[in-house]
Amino acid sequence: MLDVGRHPNIDLLAYSEVEKLEGRSGDFKVTVRRKARYVEEDKCTGCGACKEKCPTVVPDAFNVGLGDRKAIYSWFAQGIPSTHTIDPEHCRQLKGKKCGVCAKTCLAEAINFDQKDRLVEIGVGAIIVATGYDVFDPSQIFEYRYKEIPNVVTSIEFERLLSASGPTAGHAGRPSDLAVEAEIEALEKKAGRLQRAITKFEDKYVESSSAFSKKYQDGEYKDDKDRKRWADKYAEHLAILETIEPIKKKAEGFTVAKRLAFIQCVGSRDFRFYPFCSGYCCMHSIKEAIIAHEHETETTSTIFGMDIRAVGKGFEQYKIRGGNNSNITYIRGRVAEIMEGPDNNPVVTYEDTRERRVKSEEFDMVILATACAPGRGTIETANLLGIELDRYDFVKTDPLSPVDTTTPGIFVCGCSVAPLDVPESVSQASSASERAAEVVFQSDLKKEKAVA
């Protein structure tokens, strides 16, 4: 990515959207909306001082809501360009409230609250569509109780939990435990604020809160509104301390998830949703199970699937190595239901088709290998570019030219076409680039001949 950002022949229009397309193959005119960042890209150094001071905390979409970010943020640490963006939906200043902390903090004077969207027209010879994919929403499969049982997560959510830059710094913490820890932190902050207010009252009246409280309960100071506020805050503080102690004691026993279950084909190979195989899910689950074992050697993983489709070069050996070295067990069978057991542990009920028996097993966490669904913006993009989609809303291509769309000069690659893994996506991207270069070369040749 750094090489792309530095390349003299590549213009990166990040945080932008295509609004209109005109022309034909070899001579397209594209109208692009450059969204307002409210941060001057050429001034911002990416130091991050602004987001450290920003008081507004919102869920972090990059970490799939498992962590938080500030109203001024960078999408992820390695992003190019290395700059920040203000979220207009949550920024206090842009919402008309008094703030501007980021502008006061920024030594480069890069904050610009008056910045507006702008339209840019660019001329291009060819277009490559690489809009990616979306994760299937497993809450549609009610028997898996995603969002109801906190320790049932998607493979993307588990990926972020395993990441060193993720919300748990690479430890497979359970969402139920993270919620308890967040509750403790919130209660401690509230208790701290109350304690500061109580201390001011104690200093003002030169009396301890415990002694004052006894007098107040005995009927003294009934008509004193100021002392009533003191009594209320002291009572609230004691209630929080009483609440927080058992929660803290419970949190002392928290550890990483060591018994993992991976459920394959969630939404894929399913006539209710997507009848096709998503291709990469089996290897993705095996990879995550191996990484989880590398982080914690006591981790055991059970992968439930109709079959394991390890079809790429070296994939079968990788699967076997996971079983031999990373405590992975492969069970052939469909999971029928997930229930919540003691300590927020998911209980998986499944049919073992080899033994022809229905079994139940308790795990610390269940990971759903969700289907590769077409990107949410694929239909809008297709309408904008004038290209056709197939019956699943992936981009339609020529069987004999797998990166050519139905519109000349517009090509496609990666999961915009169909579910593909990384090696296949890279290979297809190279092919699409070659086809685009061919169109541009032929267009330039025609122009030269016309001039001559």
Side-chain angles (χ1 to χ4, degrees), residues 71-84:
I72 184 167
Y73 67 104
S74 56
W75 185 241
F76 58 95
Q78 297 81 21
I80 301 296
S82 180
T83 186
H84 287 69

Side-chain angles (χ1 to χ4, degrees), residues 23-26 28 125-127 386-387 404-411 435 439:
R24 55 188 174 80
S25 177
F28 289 113
I127 295 169
I387 58 179
D404 288 35
T405 69
T406 53
T407 299
I410 301 181
F411 308 98
R435 291 289 289 121
V439 168

